Amino acid sequence: MSLTVLFILGRLFHFSAVILMFGISIFIVFLTPQQLKTALGSRLNNGLNYAIIANLLTAAIIVSVQSGLMGEGWVDAIDFATIAAVLETTFGKVWLWQLLFSVLSALCLFISPSLRFKLIAGLSAALLINLGFVGHVTISTGL
């Protein structure tokens, strides 16, 4: 598999995981009637957990693959010096925030589900907003 294909798949799964995290948490926190929150929260908890893990893994993969794309290929995808150089770019600075929010989301796996949904609602909103600073929005031509 080429780095380009892995990058596309990584972004697809990352965006999907973040959107799923946001949807589940917002639905439970703000849209579910109080008497159903516990029952529905327990049913959706596993899906949220998988989305949180997928979010963290794909965020790390995207940074690594982007390092390979900016560098000389697969060798630079795992070279810490190249990854550090990529993290100094505009892309890298945005993805540092993405990684931070992803790690904080993963830490939410270790707290009670009632609080987890509230924290993930905020963190996933931050992740979605942060995704607006990558891709076509960052270039001066087009959308």
Side-chain angles (χ1 to χ4, degrees):
M1 179 181 309
S2 72
L3 282 171
T4 304
V5 170
L6 187 57
F7 186 73
I8 292 168
L9 290 174
R11 284 179 57 111
L12 171 70
F13 289 118
H14 184 73
F15 280 51
S16 298
V18 172
I19 291 168
L20 186 61
M21 288 168 55
F22 182 75
I24 289 172
S25 60
I26 291 296
F27 185 75
I28 294 296
V29 173
F30 296 110
L31 301 175
T32 303
Q34 191 62 39
Q35 60 270 26
L36 294 176
K37 283 188 184 203
T38 304
L40 193 56
S42 65
R43 286 186 174 248
L44 294 176
N45 194 43
N46 283 341
L48 181 63
N49 292 346
Y50 289 129
I52 290 169
I53 293 167
N55 167 52
L56 180 61
L57 292 175
T58 54
I61 288 169
I62 288 170
V63 170
S64 178
V65 170
Q66 184 64 43
S67 299
L69 289 170
M70 289 182 173
E72 298 295 321
W74 286 102
V75 173
D76 287 330
I78 56 172
D79 179 46
F80 291 114
T82 305
I83 293 171
V86 168
L87 291 176
E88 294 294 321
T89 65
T90 303
F91 168 88
K93 290 174 184 169
V94 170
W95 277 94
L96 276 174
W97 283 104
Q98 199 72 12
L99 287 167
L100 174 67
F101 294 139
S102 297
V103 168
L104 291 173
S105 297
L107 291 175
C108 289
L109 291 171
F110 302 104
I111 60 175
S112 70
S114 61
L115 182 58
R116 179 182 315 145
F117 286 113
K118 292 174 186 170
L119 290 173
I120 293 299
L123 288 167
S124 61
L127 284 162
L128 281 174
I129 291 167
N130 196 47
L131 285 173
F133 296 106
V134 297
H136 297 284
V137 173
T138 62
I139 58 175
S140 58
T141 59
L143 295 174

